[in-house]
Amino acid sequence: MAPVADSCSEDLENLLELCKELDTQPPPLRDSHANAFFSSFPLERLFRALASARDKDAVGLVSEVLGRLLGTELGRTLLPGAAPYLAAAAEAPLPALRRLAAEQYGSLLAHSRSRTAAAAGTDGNVEDEVASTSLSQLVHILTDDPDTTVAAAAAASIRAYVSAGGLPALQRVLGAGSPAAAALVAAAERDRGGTVRLRVLALALELAAAGDGAAGSSNRLSNGVPESNGSITNGDGPSTSGSSSSADERLQLLRGSGLLQPLLRTLSEGAADPLACLASLQLLEELMAASDPESDPGAIGSSGRGYRSGGASEGVAVALAGLALPQLLQLLSDPMLSDAAMPLVAGIVRRSLPEALPPATAAAVAAAAAAAAATAAGYGNGLPADPMQVDSGGAASASPVTVVEGPALRAAPALLAAVRGVLDDAGDASPAAEACGLDAVGRLGQSRAGAQLVLADGAVARSLCERALGRSPHPEVRMAALHALAATAGLERAGADRARAAAVLPAQYEETLRRCVFEACGGPAVGGASLKRPGEVVLGLLAQPFVELRLAAYRCLAAMALRSWFAVEVITTPDLAARLLDAGSESGAAACNWRHAAASALWAAVSAAARGEVAGAGEEAFAATLAAPGVLERVRQAVRAGPYGTDGGGAAGAAAAAEAARRMHEQHSVATRGGGGGGGGA
């Protein structure tokens, strides 16, 4: 036995030396490299040597180089013969070797499809034994491998297969009666820890919702090719076979697969396993975010799954939210889960809403929320299962229920009622619960329709402004309220360009916002003093020493200052204007950048007034103050100076400010309350 062991050890050393040499070669590797390598190390010898490896870095190096070699034309001809060795590698003790197997099973799927297409003159969607075996092995790796990176590689290979093969490939993975679907359902059903179930659900939802050619965009796969190692080249180019598949067909496949049942059951039985329930809810919310990337700057990639789609995929995601509507309503009525569920449900609702709502619809939702909150207060044990179903004498009867249609609008009253429950005047909710409610308001208010719903509900709008600018609550609550107010006022909608028209809402909502802001600022403040003006309140927030709270105040200012009436508040509060327009008033990148973002928003309002542009009703009354020559020049210079006061208005400074603005709107997330920065050009 010793000579065999010595031989394997020597082979491994030689293999590593050869791989190190090839690793220095610029991509792509050529057939000459593959010929020399496989002449020295046929597949049997190669995998026998790898089996003796114990160093994960060594295995990783060989895996990387082998992937590049199998991506050559010669390497692809060797792929079918690699199947037995990949099966052994899939059971190896080292994760790097198992990941190699997962990636190369994806290569086999792509190769099988190309070969079948060439032989049969079809689109390559005829099933063969190699493809069937490879898909079965990938499902096995996905559901049984304990290492998350290995499982992710298997999921990436399956996504690439479906992306290239379109609807026929999706049928082989999710179609009722298919071996792959049966194996996925069985794995989800038998899993008690929740990890495998979430893996399976994530893959199924992504496959059903992904637009053609979109799957696996961040999984090193492009047209079936792991981009970082070049291991696969499909050879056919992107497939268009799935371009005609509709959202309905994909959704029906998902429903018929049996994989929706574990998701809905997990959501329904939230009290039995709260963590699994919230993880499933987050999975659904992330799917909604990925299907509508424009709705959430920076959301893509935040989940680690990184898929990006749109079009029909958005329809699938919205339909899935509709299927889960009863479970969403149940979560909002569960006292144990409602707080944590509110922000996630708010994200789902927002992405299911149309771009804007008729005022009557927003009013009907607000009335239903008020009725649901009153009913919950009377029962004292949670919200009704469906707030649109209230007693005939309830407030919701004031507006026809038929106005409130669709899953998002049917869930919206329950969401707003839950928010009312933690932000009511009783003040008996914990700071953490209030922060969850405010995070939900912030997520909902990012969209135009969501902001309409927030401001149509007077109780929610007042509670939001009071906690942001009025009485002094817990710091966590104050920060959450400031971020939520910024979102509702249109910070995300305005974007890095400070588009006032995108941020400003119809007149009735703007009037509600203005009134609630002034009412909140006119209330009792710290020490019994009364701060009557919003500018004075914001100045007080910026004067305190806690940087996270100042960042939240700057974000709020960056949204509110887009409105002429609030811009006048800034300009006519001398100390606030001085601080905002002075680059030396802040230190640290985040604070400097957000100060500049707020100054840029002020410039958007001031310059619009000078041009005679009106974004909302009544703005003409403020034009003279904002367009005064001294004001214009002062704000212009502050914005041109950049976040640090060193750019001096040159082209480089403007470019730096624009880049900072882009980063801010790509990276910011209300849920994380992260600090970023940015500015707009003057």
Side-chain angles (χ1 to χ4, degrees), residues 264-278:
L264 299 179
R265 187 167 55 252
T266 301
L267 293 175
S268 296
E269 300 171 355
D273 191 348
L275 291 179
C277 174
L278 293 174

PDB file of all heavy atoms in Angstrom, residues 264-278:
ATOM      1  N   LEU A 264     -45.818  28.422   2.117  1.00  0.00           N
ATOM      2  CA  LEU A 264     -47.066  28.905   2.703  1.00  0.00           C
ATOM      3  C   LEU A 264     -47.300  28.296   4.076  1.00  0.00           C
ATOM      4  O   LEU A 264     -47.805  28.964   4.986  1.00  0.00           O
ATOM      5  CB  LEU A 264     -48.232  28.589   1.764  1.00  0.00           C
ATOM      6  CG  LEU A 264     -48.147  29.234   0.373  1.00  0.00           C
ATOM      7  CD1 LEU A 264     -49.344  28.834  -0.480  1.00  0.00           C
ATOM      8  CD2 LEU A 264     -48.051  30.749   0.481  1.00  0.00           C
ATOM      9  N   ARG A 265     -46.921  27.045   4.234  1.00  0.00           N
ATOM     10  CA  ARG A 265     -47.103  26.401   5.533  1.00  0.00           C
ATOM     11  C   ARG A 265     -46.180  27.019   6.581  1.00  0.00           C
ATOM     12  O   ARG A 265     -46.581  27.227   7.732  1.00  0.00           O
ATOM     13  CB  ARG A 265     -46.852  24.898   5.423  1.00  0.00           C
ATOM     14  CG  ARG A 265     -47.179  24.135   6.704  1.00  0.00           C
ATOM     15  CD  ARG A 265     -47.231  22.634   6.484  1.00  0.00           C
ATOM     16  NE  ARG A 265     -46.014  22.111   5.902  1.00  0.00           N
ATOM     17  CZ  ARG A 265     -45.905  21.682   4.650  1.00  0.00           C
ATOM     18  NH1 ARG A 265     -46.946  21.744   3.836  1.00  0.00           N
ATOM     19  NH2 ARG A 265     -44.773  21.211   4.190  1.00  0.00           N
ATOM     20  N   THR A 266     -44.946  27.333   6.181  1.00  0.00           N
ATOM     21  CA  THR A 266     -44.018  27.962   7.122  1.00  0.00           C
ATOM     22  C   THR A 266     -44.538  29.323   7.565  1.00  0.00           C
ATOM     23  O   THR A 266     -44.451  29.692   8.738  1.00  0.00           O
ATOM     24  CB  THR A 266     -42.629  28.126   6.471  1.00  0.00           C
ATOM     25  OG1 THR A 266     -42.144  26.836   6.096  1.00  0.00           O
ATOM     26  CG2 THR A 266     -41.646  28.762   7.439  1.00  0.00           C
ATOM     27  N   LEU A 267     -45.109  30.085   6.612  1.00  0.00           N
ATOM     28  CA  LEU A 267     -45.673  31.382   6.967  1.00  0.00           C
ATOM     29  C   LEU A 267     -46.910  31.227   7.851  1.00  0.00           C
ATOM     30  O   LEU A 267     -47.139  32.032   8.760  1.00  0.00           O
ATOM     31  CB  LEU A 267     -46.032  32.160   5.704  1.00  0.00           C
ATOM     32  CG  LEU A 267     -44.858  32.607   4.816  1.00  0.00           C
ATOM     33  CD1 LEU A 267     -45.370  33.251   3.537  1.00  0.00           C
ATOM     34  CD2 LEU A 267     -43.936  33.561   5.556  1.00  0.00           C
ATOM     35  N   SER A 268     -47.700  30.190   7.587  1.00  0.00           N
ATOM     36  CA  SER A 268     -48.928  29.985   8.368  1.00  0.00           C
ATOM     37  C   SER A 268     -48.629  29.546   9.790  1.00  0.00           C
ATOM     38  O   SER A 268     -49.351  29.896  10.727  1.00  0.00           O
ATOM     39  CB  SER A 268     -49.818  28.942   7.689  1.00  0.00           C
ATOM     40  OG  SER A 268     -50.248  29.384   6.431  1.00  0.00           O
ATOM     41  N   GLU A 269     -47.564  28.769   9.954  1.00  0.00           N
ATOM     42  CA  GLU A 269     -47.238  28.219  11.272  1.00  0.00           C
ATOM     43  C   GLU A 269     -46.117  29.020  11.922  1.00  0.00           C
ATOM     44  O   GLU A 269     -45.202  28.467  12.525  1.00  0.00           O
ATOM     45  CB  GLU A 269     -46.835  26.750  11.126  1.00  0.00           C
ATOM     46  CG  GLU A 269     -47.942  25.883  10.523  1.00  0.00           C
ATOM     47  CD  GLU A 269     -47.470  24.479  10.183  1.00  0.00           C
ATOM     48  OE1 GLU A 269     -46.250  24.214  10.338  1.00  0.00           O
ATOM     49  OE2 GLU A 269     -48.312  23.664   9.769  1.00  0.00           O
ATOM     50  N   GLY A 270     -46.203  30.335  11.780  1.00  0.00           N
ATOM     51  CA  GLY A 270     -45.128  31.200  12.273  1.00  0.00           C
ATOM     52  C   GLY A 270     -44.843  31.049  13.739  1.00  0.00           C
ATOM     53  O   GLY A 270     -43.683  31.062  14.171  1.00  0.00           O
ATOM     54  N   ALA A 271     -45.879  30.875  14.550  1.00  0.00           N
ATOM     55  CA  ALA A 271     -45.668  30.767  15.992  1.00  0.00           C
ATOM     56  C   ALA A 271     -44.872  29.524  16.354  1.00  0.00           C
ATOM     57  O   ALA A 271     -44.160  29.505  17.351  1.00  0.00           O
ATOM     58  CB  ALA A 271     -47.015  30.768  16.710  1.00  0.00           C
ATOM     59  N   ALA A 272     -44.986  28.472  15.537  1.00  0.00           N
ATOM     60  CA  ALA A 272     -44.270  27.232  15.826  1.00  0.00           C
ATOM     61  C   ALA A 272     -42.777  27.377  15.577  1.00  0.00           C
ATOM     62  O   ALA A 272     -41.958  26.777  16.275  1.00  0.00           O
ATOM     63  CB  ALA A 272     -44.837  26.096  14.983  1.00  0.00           C
ATOM     64  N   ASP A 273     -42.399  28.147  14.590  1.00  0.00           N
ATOM     65  CA  ASP A 273     -40.982  28.356  14.268  1.00  0.00           C
ATOM     66  C   ASP A 273     -40.813  29.789  13.769  1.00  0.00           C
ATOM     67  O   ASP A 273     -40.738  30.032  12.561  1.00  0.00           O
ATOM     68  CB  ASP A 273     -40.522  27.352  13.216  1.00  0.00           C
ATOM     69  CG  ASP A 273     -39.002  27.342  13.048  1.00  0.00           C
ATOM     70  OD1 ASP A 273     -38.337  28.261  13.574  1.00  0.00           O
ATOM     71  OD2 ASP A 273     -38.485  26.414  12.401  1.00  0.00           O
ATOM     72  N   PRO A 274     -40.754  30.758  14.679  1.00  0.00           N
ATOM     73  CA  PRO A 274     -40.705  32.163  14.263  1.00  0.00           C
ATOM     74  C   PRO A 274     -39.521  32.498  13.356  1.00  0.00           C
ATOM     75  O   PRO A 274     -39.662  33.267  12.408  1.00  0.00           O
ATOM     76  CB  PRO A 274     -40.618  32.924  15.598  1.00  0.00           C
ATOM     77  CG  PRO A 274     -41.194  31.989  16.610  1.00  0.00           C
ATOM     78  CD  PRO A 274     -40.818  30.623  16.146  1.00  0.00           C
ATOM     79  N   LEU A 275     -38.359  31.922  13.648  1.00  0.00           N
ATOM     80  CA  LEU A 275     -37.187  32.250  12.843  1.00  0.00           C
ATOM     81  C   LEU A 275     -37.348  31.774  11.408  1.00  0.00           C
ATOM     82  O   LEU A 275     -37.033  32.498  10.458  1.00  0.00           O
ATOM     83  CB  LEU A 275     -35.931  31.647  13.478  1.00  0.00           C
ATOM     84  CG  LEU A 275     -35.496  32.261  14.808  1.00  0.00           C
ATOM     85  CD1 LEU A 275     -34.250  31.551  15.336  1.00  0.00           C
ATOM     86  CD2 LEU A 275     -35.217  33.750  14.656  1.00  0.00           C
ATOM     87  N   ALA A 276     -37.831  30.536  11.236  1.00  0.00           N
ATOM     88  CA  ALA A 276     -38.044  30.019   9.882  1.00  0.00           C
ATOM     89  C   ALA A 276     -39.113  30.826   9.160  1.00  0.00           C
ATOM     90  O   ALA A 276     -39.008  31.092   7.960  1.00  0.00           O
ATOM     91  CB  ALA A 276     -38.439  28.544   9.942  1.00  0.00           C
ATOM     92  N   CYS A 277     -40.127  31.232   9.895  1.00  0.00           N
ATOM     93  CA  CYS A 277     -41.202  32.025   9.296  1.00  0.00           C
ATOM     94  C   CYS A 277     -40.668  33.359   8.780  1.00  0.00           C
ATOM     95  O   CYS A 277     -40.932  33.753   7.636  1.00  0.00           O
ATOM     96  CB  CYS A 277     -42.309  32.244  10.321  1.00  0.00           C
ATOM     97  SG  CYS A 277     -43.615  33.346   9.755  1.00  0.00           S
ATOM     98  N   LEU A 278     -39.909  34.052   9.599  1.00  0.00           N
ATOM     99  CA  LEU A 278     -39.380  35.356   9.189  1.00  0.00           C
ATOM    100  C   LEU A 278     -38.355  35.212   8.068  1.00  0.00           C
ATOM    101  O   LEU A 278     -38.264  36.063   7.182  1.00  0.00           O
ATOM    102  CB  LEU A 278     -38.769  36.068  10.388  1.00  0.00           C
ATOM    103  CG  LEU A 278     -39.776  36.495  11.467  1.00  0.00           C
ATOM    104  CD1 LEU A 278     -39.050  37.056  12.683  1.00  0.00           C
ATOM    105  CD2 LEU A 278     -40.760  37.526  10.917  1.00  0.00           C
TER     106      LEU A 278
END
